[in-house]
Amino acid sequence: MLKNILAALILPLGIAASASAAELPASGLVEKGALTYGVAATFAPFEFQKDGQLTGFDIDLIAALSKKLKAETKPMNMEFKGLIPALIGGRLDLINSAMYINPARSEQVDFIPYLKIGNMVIVQAGNPKKITGRDDSLCGKTVSVTLGGIQESQARADDARCKAKNLEGVKVLTFPTAQDSALTLRQGRADATFDSTPGAVVLQSSVPGVYQTVGEEFESNTSIGMATRKGDAAVQKSIKDALSEIVADGTYKTLIEKWKLPPSVAIFN
């Protein structure tokens, strides 16, 4: 009898200890009780489609956060360039799409950083154009990049740098997705493409013998984050609280390992 009474007292304490303190805002969401998020599912291993389903690190991340918040997830898959306008326009609660944090974007949205990654120059296997990295060997070459992504900014900066040295500029080709950029390189219509270091690993493993990286990783402290509307403190707090909880319980580390990202991407212990 005493054993049963003690069990009855201890069980609720255990449940309370494991319960999430994070919670959704009571108002101001696109749909009550849900997180409506924008994603451009073309950036493996962060977000992509497999057998018609969204998958990737970010998709698992938002699922873990939503579990803490007891929320449904409502993804809206769209072109990357449409994400910020959709958020500002009130069609989304947040952007969950491995968005690189830069000053121009930070003027439009508020970020919640969760990883840091670097970038690589990718060329055809055998490196027929003899490109040696993100250096003057790109001058006079054609580089394919995702429209509106940080790689477009990097390629245009290289174009300006080459021209400032009185060298031939970089021809920048923009495409809706990273896959389109890689295909253009594979077809020989571009000489190189830029991608994240994890993305480069996925690309080379998915089609062996087609691509290779050249030169050193660059901008390796680039932060990526989820974005909320400017001044939306309620959603910011919800996501940050839930993120703290999945860091504490080991889910964050487990997802990094699951998606074979290098340990260096973590910004939380």
Side-chain angles (χ1 to χ4, degrees):
M1 181 67 177
L2 179 60
K3 184 178 179 181
N4 291 338
I5 293 172
L6 288 172
L9 290 172
I10 292 169
L11 184 58
L13 291 175
I15 293 172
S18 62
S20 173
E23 57 183 11
L24 280 177
S27 61
L29 298 172
V30 173
E31 184 176 331
K32 186 176 181 179
L35 281 174
T36 303
Y37 71 91
V39 61
T42 61
F43 190 29
F46 298 104
E47 46 270 324
F48 58 103
Q49 295 193 74
K50 184 176 182 180
D51 300 327
Q53 300 294 316
L54 290 173
T55 189
F57 177 92
D58 287 338
I59 307 306
D60 285 350
L61 178 69
I62 197 71
L65 297 175
S66 296
K67 185 176 180 180
K68 295 292 185 182
L69 293 165
K70 299 180 178 61
E72 285 188 77
T73 54
K74 300 281 187 176
M76 291 183 64
N77 190 11
M78 62 185 71
E79 285 192 22
F80 190 85
K81 66 180 181 180
L83 290 171
I84 289 180
L87 178 65
I88 293 173
R91 295 168 54 204
L92 307 172
D93 299 314
L94 73 158
I95 296 169
N96 173 50
S97 196
M99 183 167 277
Y100 288 47
I101 300 173
N102 63 30
R105 290 175 182 157
S106 296
E107 290 180 359
Q108 302 176 77
V109 298
D110 290 332
F111 280 106
I112 303 166
Y114 60 93
L115 291 177
K116 60 181 176 67
I117 58 176
N119 301 273
M120 296 295 299
V121 177
I122 305 169
V123 299
Q124 288 183 344
N127 195 12
K129 300 294 184 175
K130 308 303 179 188
I131 294 170
T132 54
R134 195 176 174 212
D135 53 33
D136 288 351
S137 66
L138 289 174
C139 300
K141 304 298 194 302
T142 299
V143 176
S144 58
V145 292
T146 303
L147 177 65
I150 195 170
Q151 287 86 6
E152 180 183 357
S153 300
Q154 292 163 343
R156 295 201 185 281
D158 289 339
D159 175 50
R161 174 180 53 78
C162 289
K163 290 175 179 176
K165 292 183 175 182
N166 293 319
L167 299 172
E168 190 175 352
V170 175
K171 182 179 180 182
V172 181
L173 299 181
T174 59
F175 296 92
T177 72
Q179 288 91 331
D180 292 332
S181 297
L183 180 60
T184 302
L185 171 61
R186 183 175 187 172
Q187 294 171 337
R189 294 187 289 135
D191 303 314
T193 189
F194 294 170
D195 204 345
S196 72
T197 301
V201 171
V202 170
L203 186 61
Q204 291 175 96
S205 62
S206 60
V207 280
V210 174
Y211 304 100
Q212 72 179 75
T213 59
V214 293
E216 299 294 324
E217 184 182 54
F218 58 91
E219 297 189 17
S220 56
N221 284 317
T222 300
S223 292
I224 61 176
M226 287 169 279
T228 61
R229 274 184 296 280
K230 274 289 183 186
D232 192 345
V235 172
Q236 277 265 328
K237 184 179 188 308
S238 293
I239 298 299
K240 286 178 178 178
D241 287 349
L243 184 57
S244 293
E245 292 185 11
I246 69 165
V247 170
D249 70 15
T251 303
Y252 175 79
K253 181 180 179 182
T254 297
L255 291 181
I256 289 173
E257 293 171 349
K258 173 185 175 179
W259 289 101
K260 297 179 172 59
L261 301 177
S264 59
V265 303
I267 63 171
F268 305 109
N269 295 326

